[in-house]
Amino acid sequence: MQLGMIGLGRMGANMAQRLMQSGHEVVGLDAQPTVREVFAQQGGRSVDSAAKLVQQLPTPRVVWLMLPAGVITQTMIDELLPLLEPGDTLVDGGNSFYQDSMRRSREYAQHQLNYLDCGTSGGIWGLTEGYCLMIGGEQAPVERLTPIFQALAPSPDRGWAHVGPAGAGHFSKMVHNGIEYGMMQALAEGFSILSKKTELDLDVHQIADLWRNGSVVRSWLLDLTASALKDNPGLKGIAPYVRDSGEGRWAVAEAIALDVSAPVITLALLERLRSREPDSYGDKLLAAMRNSFGGHAFIPDTSQPFKPLD
Amino acid sequence: MQLGMIGLGRMGANMAQRLMQSGHEVVGLDAQPTVREVFAQQGGRSVDSAAKLVQQLPTPRVVWLMLPAGVITQTMIDELLPLLEPGDTLVDGGNSFYQDSMRRSREYAQHQLNYLDCGTSGGIWGLTEGYCLMIGGEQAPVERLTPIFQALAPSPDRGWAHVGPAGAGHFSKMVHNGIEYGMMQALAEGFSILSKKTELDLDVHQIADLWRNGSVVRSWLLDLTASALKDNPGLKGIAPYVRDSGEGRWAVAEAIALDVSAPVITLALLERLRSREPDSYGDKLLAAMRNSFGGHAFIPDTSQPFKPLD
Amino acid sequence: MQLGMIGLGRMGANMAQRLMQSGHEVVGLDAQPTVREVFAQQGGRSVDSAAKLVQQLPTPRVVWLMLPAGVITQTMIDELLPLLEPGDTLVDGGNSFYQDSMRRSREYAQHQLNYLDCGTSGGIWGLTEGYCLMIGGEQAPVERLTPIFQALAPSPDRGWAHVGPAGAGHFSKMVHNGIEYGMMQALAEGFSILSKKTELDLDVHQIADLWRNGSVVRSWLLDLTASALKDNPGLKGIAPYVRDSGEGRWAVAEAIALDVSAPVITLALLERLRSREPDSYGDKLLAAMRNSFGGHAFIPDTSQPFKPLD
Amino acid sequence: MQLGMIGLGRMGANMAQRLMQSGHEVVGLDAQPTVREVFAQQGGRSVDSAAKLVQQLPTPRVVWLMLPAGVITQTMIDELLPLLEPGDTLVDGGNSFYQDSMRRSREYAQHQLNYLDCGTSGGIWGLTEGYCLMIGGEQAPVERLTPIFQALAPSPDRGWAHVGPAGAGHFSKMVHNGIEYGMMQALAEGFSILSKKTELDLDVHQIADLWRNGSVVRSWLLDLTASALKDNPGLKGIAPYVRDSGEGRWAVAEAIALDVSAPVITLALLERLRSREPDSYGDKLLAAMRNSFGGHAFIPDTSQPFKPLD
């Protein structure tokens, strides 16, 4: 099939490449000339505007978005709306909020345009291992795009699925990422405990690698952990600063909206916030309160490493 | 090799069988006649006392404990001490507290007896897939028992390791189980959110199965989740009552003792406690407090399903 | 002064009464005839429509809303907008979301109407003890309504304050309630621990009462706790079912939006959700997973009290 | 009455002074000469050994310990045992673990010595406001020491109580401190949210002071918060480093041992641990994992303030 891929960043370029490796034709669109050049070197054809992209695709068109969620995605969706024709299909493969996808799907439907929300997992490993695709939307476009999904997934009959109506794909991906946060945090805490037990002089990489075989916690995230610890078990040179994308926040908010208590997913998110707040106002206030009621000295705030006074 | 297996429950019997399948000879010991009969039907030889077990094994002996941690394990260790001879090796493959293992190892060493603590993961699937073995203790007995570890592990060179001195095996297993609690809870919360999103009518089994291929959360626990949801996506007939073994508690206590904040592992444990406290005193007190300050009606406690009054 | 009080529920009626006790005149509005009758018996004058209320008040008018947040409050605000005249002041004393208050304030300002958001704490005790008022909005209407605030507060110069621009009142109240959740949960957990330590046979009421004098945890919520435990230390007849109003949820969402890790406020909310989910899907899935990997029996779900099987 | 006070630190010296103000005679013991000098200037008589202290007290003696829990307290208890005579009473007013107090009480009873465990709350404010005393032990010595308790408490009939058998005093105090941790953390989080909402430009001290009157969260800890924020609302010069004494840890461990889920008390403890771990291994591992699966850059660890790269 022919497909237009909008956004040739890490994810989009890899997905385009995997599609081309399966014999599909991809026209890429990216605003940055250098990105387009790299894409050309990988054998891809690219354009520099949505209008050109649409012109180059046969109808009914298939356009796949791989853009940062939010304003950038919305802007492109708005730009594409008048360019596309009834029967065309737009797939949002990014990490959009599922309620945005439900709304966009309705808007597109009013113009006889198909809209699919496709949660995409796999990261930079997807190029070689395939992507896990959670697809929401109408049945007909999902059927028409099946060869695309089969090429992107790890195998033609595994790793992609039509999980429900519009929004279901991004909803599933949102929950997936919530689970991912929880699992990552569980692993991070466990290896933190191991690393602090200095009297046993444990080799964290050896243990990570050991658990990959036969243990209850064997998992892809453990594989990555073992890999990260292999050459750098002390994690030297890495700041304890953990970003979050929107999806963990949405998962936490959605759980609360559904009256589901999800403490582990929630705490995994909060720990990331905490990692980025080294100069915590709350902790200062606790130190000040302890000083007020117990006369406990608090520690002067210096740029030196923390050192208790008493 | 020849090995005495003490405790022919689910774990011990399966491990004995896996050893026998690799050509090792196993003499089993279990207090219950019916258990010994089942073991005999599986081709195993068994005895009914520690003294007989020791008599039937060639020196230097290898005895493997697969008993519930705590009093039962300690009693057997005490009973074996005068029966064993210098050079013999006792392996505790159960879920003992690592500090107990450190102490027992010292006591055995005073009698020239070898003591290994072997954290064993794999559950009932270990028989066919192999066990993950985390071994603590001296180097010499680990070397001598290598054929045993190789037979129990998923493959001779993967899934078993000598991770450190006495206690290191059970310490690693304790942390492993803490991570397991966190991962399980993350999955449970995620699927709970999916199941509550009724407007999208998601198929929880389809999604679990989908994620097994290419997604970031692919893992053995997800495989089990998919399996559990296959025939019973509504989880009918299962009480929301989650036990815990000692290891999660020890992991939480150890994290605190090491000044490591491990919120996800900790909350995963607390959630299990919470599942077993349906008639929570704390929640009643909250309801009573709300009534006191806001005049909010609380709900009469009946055996009927909860139903808000106002 | 003269003031129109819309909503004569528990809070509104008490506040009107406290105002009348200070010599202010209050015209009440409530949709329910029985509520108006009760109000009349307390010496209040009431009407049955917003139009009548507005007619009966001298300009510049002061109208105070004490309605459930959300649709009911919004509907009344919309109804009042064309009835009020430039210079009139509307106070929302309910628990509205602060962003709604910011928007409503802007809309009212376009019509030269003053809008104040007034977070109100104190519950049913406010009638006798006074209310704590957190006021957001412009300076001029706050000054004009000062006699009202002074009458409602515990004392004329304490317990009310103009805390900032539009939204600041409800924002502060939202955070206040988040703290309230956390404090209540801390107390609930503590008394739960005391009540479970049966070997020491502690008298929970005695301890609550004891701590009210000189201890670090002395607080109004502890006073209420002591009161709740006085005649019913076992909390018999109270279901472990804890509601939440919107404010805890908003506080949690706002903390995350501000990148503030607020684990205690968050967990206090989740515990309330949890109290209302006795048949937890997540816990069932955990039980099913344990069964899958360990062969651990799970407990059949019956309407009988939980009883472990093995 | 006459009483020997062992440990003339912040707490012991203040308590001795409060007792002397009520007409009791106190002989103080402290190892440090400078401490004894300060005590002498406050009008107290002091000695430099336990033997001298015991000699100076009339029988039946009353000796009060106000020492750091653990080794120091145990050493003094062991030293006193042979010096005291049947009928004497030792009170441990420090923060000992309640199980230690139960054991010590049994040991003292074997020598016909009375042992009381007295949880003491109030901090440096106790001197003027009185201490809250939770007393465990036998009835007779509690009755004999009643004048002491009455003098230390905020008033003769309020703020002290015999709460149960040996251990009950320190158990109650342990739970009290758990609640204290939770309340403090709730306040810290709330004020952190307020301080981060820069668009509303809130005055955190004004709000703290406002809430002290009529609000649901009014409490002594809020009084202290308001005081701490008065001159330093930005908490400048205070490091975000929060210590914990043993009692929070014991409360968390005890809750788990009793199968009580106490997430708020637990998280309040973990947050303190977290405040002292700015260079978190777990967070580094999370950053490394994100880099591994998503190609997300992690931030080089420098001594510069954190600054995201992409």
Side-chain angles (χ1 to χ4, degrees):
Chain A
M1 295 182 70
Q2 278 195 308
L3 174 143
M5 176 66 74
I6 301 184
L8 300 174
R10 233 168 350 227
M11 287 293 286
N14 280 352
M15 292 171 78
Q17 218 179 320
R18 188 168 171 94
L19 285 169
M20 292 187 290
Q21 287 168 358
S22 293
H24 297 287
E25 269 179 68
V26 180
V27 185
L29 163 61
D30 201 283
Q32 294 185 278
T34 52
V35 169
R36 289 199 305 275
E37 274 168 41
V38 171
F39 188 63
Q41 287 160 12
Q42 293 166 346
R45 187 157 47 104
S46 65
V47 294
D48 61 1
S49 78
K52 289 182 194 159
L53 184 88
V54 168
Q55 282 171 356
Q56 302 224 358
L57 293 171
T59 57
R61 298 179 186 85
V62 179
V63 178
W64 189 294
L65 295 184
M66 217 61 210
L67 294 172
V71 174
I72 294 176
T73 290
Q74 184 65 53
T75 302
M76 182 53 72
I77 288 171
D78 292 342
E79 188 177 345
L80 285 168
L81 184 61
L83 298 173
L84 296 174
E85 294 171 278
D88 288 354
T89 298
L90 181 63
V91 184
D92 179 5
N95 282 330
S96 293
F97 184 43
Y98 80 99
Q99 291 184 2
D100 288 334
S101 300
M102 293 171 81
R103 175 180 49 76
R104 291 164 181 164
S105 169
R106 285 193 300 271
E107 291 168 0
Y108 263 53
Q110 289 168 358
H111 297 81
Q112 282 77 52
L113 294 166
N114 299 303
Y115 192 96
L116 299 177
D117 53 290
C118 178
T120 309
S121 183
I124 53 177
W125 298 84
L127 172 57
T128 51
E129 303 197 6
Y131 298 91
C132 180
L133 306 174
M134 305 144 233
I135 308 157
E138 295 291 321
Q139 182 68 21
V142 173
E143 279 175 15
R144 197 160 70 76
L145 271 69
T146 291
I148 300 292
F149 300 135
Q150 289 180 322
L152 289 171
S155 76
D157 61 340
R158 303 281 295 158
W160 70 275
H162 182 198
V163 296
H170 282 147
F171 188 89
S172 306
K173 178 64 176 4
M174 175 193 80
V175 173
H176 168 279
N177 281 30
I179 295 171
E180 174 190 315
Y181 278 39
M183 283 186 165
M184 287 174 72
Q185 180 67 24
L187 285 163
E189 291 174 10
F191 282 92
S192 194
I193 297 170
L194 292 174
S195 77
K196 288 284 166 58
K197 191 66 178 178
T198 48
E199 68 185 272
L200 291 177
D201 193 24
L202 300 166
D203 177 340
V204 287
H205 172 257
Q206 181 198 39
I207 292 174
D209 197 50
L210 167 60
W211 287 345
R212 296 175 64 204
N213 298 277
S215 92
V216 168
V217 301
R218 61 191 190 260
S219 55
W220 192 59
L221 285 164
L222 178 64
D223 295 348
L224 292 181
T225 302
S227 164
L229 294 174
K230 187 170 188 180
D231 300 315
N232 190 6
L235 298 170
K236 293 198 199 313
I238 299 173
Y241 185 102
V242 194
R243 288 170 221 284
D244 74 286
S245 63
E247 300 204 307
R249 293 165 184 249
W250 299 330
V252 167
E254 189 69 22
I256 292 173
L258 292 169
D259 279 357
V260 173
S261 171
V264 153
I265 291 177
T266 303
L267 263 293
L269 171 67
L270 297 195
E271 175 59 25
R272 292 190 177 198
L273 304 186
R274 186 67 186 74
S275 80
R276 299 178 332 229
E277 195 188 10
D279 191 39
S280 161
Y281 186 89
D283 288 346
K284 291 180 177 191
L285 184 52
L286 288 172
M289 274 194 251
R290 291 191 81 237
N291 175 258
S292 294
F293 73 74
H296 304 287
F298 49 75
I299 301 167
D301 187 13
T302 71
S303 45
Q304 302 306 313
F306 295 107
K307 212 166 64 182
L309 281 188
D310 67 343
Chain B
M1 295 182 70
Q2 278 195 309
L3 173 143
M5 175 67 73
I6 300 185
L8 300 174
R10 234 168 349 229
M11 288 293 286
N14 280 352
M15 292 171 78
Q17 219 179 318
R18 189 169 171 94
L19 286 169
M20 293 187 289
Q21 287 168 358
S22 292
H24 297 287
E25 268 180 69
V26 180
V27 185
L29 163 61
D30 200 284
Q32 293 186 276
T34 53
V35 168
R36 291 199 304 274
E37 276 169 40
V38 171
F39 188 63
Q41 286 161 14
Q42 293 166 347
R45 186 157 46 103
S46 66
V47 295
D48 61 0
S49 78
K52 290 182 195 160
L53 185 87
V54 168
Q55 281 171 356
Q56 302 224 357
L57 295 171
T59 57
R61 298 180 185 86
V62 179
V63 179
W64 189 293
L65 294 185
M66 217 60 211
L67 294 172
V71 175
I72 295 177
T73 290
Q74 184 65 53
T75 302
M76 182 54 72
I77 289 171
D78 291 342
E79 189 176 344
L80 285 168
L81 183 61
L83 298 173
L84 295 174
E85 293 171 278
D88 289 352
T89 298
L90 181 64
V91 183
D92 179 4
N95 283 331
S96 293
F97 183 45
Y98 81 99
Q99 291 184 2
D100 288 335
S101 300
M102 293 170 81
R103 175 180 49 75
R104 290 163 181 164
S105 169
R106 283 192 300 271
E107 290 168 2
Y108 264 53
Q110 289 168 358
H111 299 81
Q112 280 78 52
L113 294 167
N114 299 304
Y115 191 97
L116 299 177
D117 53 290
C118 178
T120 309
S121 184
I124 53 176
W125 298 84
L127 172 56
T128 50
E129 303 197 5
Y131 299 91
C132 180
L133 306 174
M134 305 143 234
I135 307 156
E138 294 292 320
Q139 182 68 20
V142 173
E143 279 175 15
R144 198 160 70 76
L145 270 69
T146 292
I148 298 292
F149 300 135
Q150 289 179 322
L152 288 170
S155 76
D157 60 342
R158 302 282 294 158
W160 70 275
H162 182 197
V163 296
H170 282 147
F171 188 89
S172 307
K173 178 63 176 5
M174 175 193 79
V175 174
H176 168 279
N177 281 30
I179 295 171
E180 174 190 315
Y181 278 39
M183 283 186 165
M184 287 175 71
Q185 180 66 25
L187 285 163
E189 291 174 9
F191 282 93
S192 194
I193 297 169
L194 293 173
S195 77
K196 287 284 165 58
K197 191 66 178 177
T198 49
E199 68 185 273
L200 291 178
D201 194 25
L202 301 167
D203 176 341
V204 287
H205 171 257
Q206 182 199 37
I207 292 174
D209 197 50
L210 168 60
W211 287 345
R212 296 174 65 203
N213 298 277
S215 92
V216 168
V217 301
R218 61 193 190 260
S219 54
W220 192 60
L221 285 165
L222 177 64
D223 296 347
L224 291 181
T225 300
S227 165
L229 293 175
K230 186 170 189 180
D231 301 314
N232 189 5
L235 297 171
K236 293 197 199 314
I238 299 173
Y241 186 102
V242 194
R243 289 172 220 284
D244 74 286
S245 62
E247 300 203 307
R249 294 165 184 249
W250 300 330
V252 167
E254 188 69 22
I256 293 173
L258 292 169
D259 279 358
V260 173
S261 172
V264 154
I265 291 176
T266 303
L267 263 292
L269 172 67
L270 296 195
E271 176 59 24
R272 293 190 176 198
L273 304 186
R274 186 66 185 75
S275 79
R276 300 179 330 231
E277 196 188 10
D279 192 39
S280 160
Y281 186 89
D283 288 345
K284 291 180 178 192
L285 184 53
L286 288 172
M289 273 194 252
R290 290 191 82 238
N291 175 258
S292 294
F293 74 72
H296 304 287
F298 49 73
I299 301 167
D301 187 12
T302 70
S303 46
Q304 303 304 314
F306 295 109
K307 212 166 66 184
L309 281 189
D310 67 344
Chain C
M1 295 181 72
Q2 278 195 308
L3 174 143
M5 175 67 73
I6 300 184
L8 301 174
R10 237 174 340 235
M11 288 293 287
N14 280 354
M15 292 171 77
Q17 218 178 322
R18 188 168 170 95
L19 286 168
M20 292 187 288
Q21 286 169 359
S22 292
H24 298 287
E25 269 179 68
V26 180
V27 185
L29 163 60
D30 200 283
Q32 294 186 277
T34 52
V35 168
R36 291 198 303 274
E37 275 167 40
V38 171
F39 189 63
Q41 287 161 13
Q42 293 167 346
R45 187 157 46 104
S46 66
V47 295
D48 61 1
S49 78
K52 288 181 193 159
L53 185 87
V54 168
Q55 282 169 358
Q56 302 224 358
L57 294 170
T59 57
R61 297 179 186 87
V62 179
V63 179
W64 190 293
L65 294 185
M66 217 63 211
L67 295 172
V71 175
I72 294 177
T73 290
Q74 184 65 52
T75 303
M76 183 53 73
I77 288 171
D78 292 343
E79 188 176 345
L80 285 168
L81 183 61
L83 298 173
L84 296 174
E85 294 170 279
D88 288 353
T89 299
L90 181 63
V91 184
D92 179 4
N95 282 331
S96 293
F97 183 43
Y98 81 98
Q99 291 183 2
D100 288 334
S101 300
M102 292 171 81
R103 175 180 49 76
R104 290 163 182 164
S105 169
R106 285 192 300 270
E107 291 168 1
Y108 263 54
Q110 290 169 357
H111 298 82
Q112 282 77 52
L113 294 167
N114 300 304
Y115 191 96
L116 300 178
D117 54 290
C118 178
T120 310
S121 182
I124 54 177
W125 297 84
L127 173 56
T128 50
E129 303 198 5
Y131 299 90
C132 180
L133 306 174
M134 304 142 234
I135 307 156
E138 294 292 320
Q139 181 69 21
V142 173
E143 280 176 14
R144 199 162 67 77
L145 270 68
T146 292
I148 300 292
F149 301 134
Q150 289 180 322
L152 288 171
S155 77
D157 60 341
R158 301 282 295 159
W160 71 275
H162 182 198
V163 296
H170 282 147
F171 188 90
S172 307
K173 178 64 177 1
M174 175 193 78
V175 174
H176 168 278
N177 281 29
I179 295 171
E180 175 190 315
Y181 278 38
M183 283 186 165
M184 286 174 71
Q185 180 66 25
L187 285 163
E189 291 174 9
F191 282 92
S192 194
I193 297 169
L194 292 173
S195 78
K196 288 284 165 57
K197 191 67 178 178
T198 48
E199 68 185 273
L200 291 178
D201 194 25
L202 300 166
D203 177 340
V204 286
H205 172 257
Q206 181 199 38
I207 292 173
D209 198 51
L210 167 59
W211 286 346
R212 296 175 64 204
N213 298 276
S215 92
V216 168
V217 300
R218 61 193 189 258
S219 55
W220 192 59
L221 285 164
L222 178 65
D223 296 346
L224 292 181
T225 300
S227 164
L229 294 174
K230 186 170 189 179
D231 301 315
N232 189 6
L235 298 170
K236 293 196 199 314
I238 299 173
Y241 185 102
V242 194
R243 289 171 220 285
D244 74 285
S245 63
E247 301 204 307
R249 294 164 184 249
W250 300 329
V252 166
E254 188 68 23
I256 292 174
L258 292 169
D259 280 356
V260 173
S261 172
V264 153
I265 291 177
T266 303
L267 262 293
L269 172 66
L270 297 195
E271 176 60 24
R272 293 190 176 198
L273 304 185
R274 186 66 187 73
S275 79
R276 299 178 332 229
E277 195 188 10
D279 192 38
S280 161
Y281 186 88
D283 288 346
K284 290 180 178 193
L285 183 53
L286 289 172
M289 273 193 252
R290 292 191 80 238
N291 176 258
S292 295
F293 72 74
H296 304 288
F298 49 71
I299 301 168
D301 187 14
T302 70
S303 46
Q304 304 304 314
F306 294 108
K307 211 166 65 184
L309 281 189
D310 66 345
Chain D
M1 294 182 71
Q2 278 195 308
L3 174 141
M5 175 67 73
I6 300 184
L8 300 174
R10 237 174 340 235
M11 288 292 288
N14 280 353
M15 293 171 77
Q17 217 179 322
R18 189 168 170 95
L19 285 168
M20 293 187 288
Q21 287 168 358
S22 292
H24 298 286
E25 268 179 69
V26 180
V27 185
L29 163 61
D30 200 283
Q32 295 185 277
T34 53
V35 169
R36 291 198 305 273
E37 275 168 41
V38 171
F39 188 63
Q41 286 160 13
Q42 292 166 348
R45 187 157 45 104
S46 64
V47 294
D48 60 1
S49 79
K52 289 182 194 158
L53 185 88
V54 168
Q55 282 170 355
Q56 302 223 359
L57 294 171
T59 57
R61 298 178 186 86
V62 179
V63 178
W64 189 293
L65 294 185
M66 217 63 211
L67 294 172
V71 175
I72 295 177
T73 290
Q74 184 65 53
T75 303
M76 183 53 73
I77 288 171
D78 291 342
E79 187 176 347
L80 285 168
L81 183 62
L83 298 173
L84 296 174
E85 293 171 279
D88 289 353
T89 298
L90 180 63
V91 184
D92 178 4
N95 283 331
S96 293
F97 183 44
Y98 80 99
Q99 291 183 3
D100 288 335
S101 299
M102 293 170 81
R103 174 179 51 75
R104 290 162 182 164
S105 169
R106 284 192 301 272
E107 291 168 0
Y108 264 52
Q110 288 168 357
H111 298 82
Q112 283 79 52
L113 294 166
N114 300 303
Y115 192 97
L116 299 177
D117 53 291
C118 178
T120 309
S121 182
I124 53 177
W125 298 84
L127 172 58
T128 51
E129 303 198 6
Y131 299 90
C132 180
L133 307 174
M134 304 143 235
I135 307 156
E138 294 292 321
Q139 182 68 22
V142 173
E143 279 176 15
R144 198 161 70 76
L145 269 70
T146 291
I148 299 293
F149 300 134
Q150 289 181 322
L152 288 171
S155 77
D157 60 342
R158 304 281 295 158
W160 69 276
H162 182 197
V163 296
H170 282 147
F171 188 90
S172 307
K173 178 63 177 2
M174 175 192 78
V175 173
H176 168 279
N177 280 30
I179 295 171
E180 174 190 315
Y181 277 39
M183 283 186 164
M184 286 174 72
Q185 180 67 25
L187 285 163
E189 291 174 9
F191 282 93
S192 193
I193 298 169
L194 292 173
S195 77
K196 288 283 166 59
K197 190 67 178 178
T198 48
E199 68 184 272
L200 291 177
D201 193 25
L202 301 166
D203 176 340
V204 287
H205 172 256
Q206 181 198 39
I207 292 174
D209 198 51
L210 168 59
W211 287 345
R212 297 175 63 203
N213 298 276
S215 92
V216 168
V217 301
R218 62 193 189 258
S219 54
W220 192 59
L221 285 165
L222 177 65
D223 296 347
L224 292 181
T225 301
S227 165
L229 294 174
K230 187 169 188 180
D231 301 314
N232 190 5
L235 297 170
K236 293 196 199 316
I238 299 172
Y241 185 102
V242 194
R243 289 172 221 284
D244 74 285
S245 63
E247 300 205 307
R249 294 164 183 249
W250 300 329
V252 166
E254 188 68 24
I256 292 173
L258 292 169
D259 279 356
V260 173
S261 171
V264 154
I265 291 175
T266 303
L267 264 293
L269 172 67
L270 296 196
E271 175 60 24
R272 292 189 177 198
L273 304 185
R274 186 67 186 73
S275 79
R276 298 177 334 229
E277 196 188 9
D279 191 38
S280 161
Y281 185 89
D283 287 346
K284 291 179 177 192
L285 183 52
L286 288 172
M289 275 194 252
R290 292 191 80 238
N291 175 257
S292 295
F293 74 73
H296 304 287
F298 49 72
I299 301 167
D301 187 14
T302 68
S303 45
Q304 303 305 313
F306 294 108
K307 212 166 66 183
L309 280 188
D310 65 346

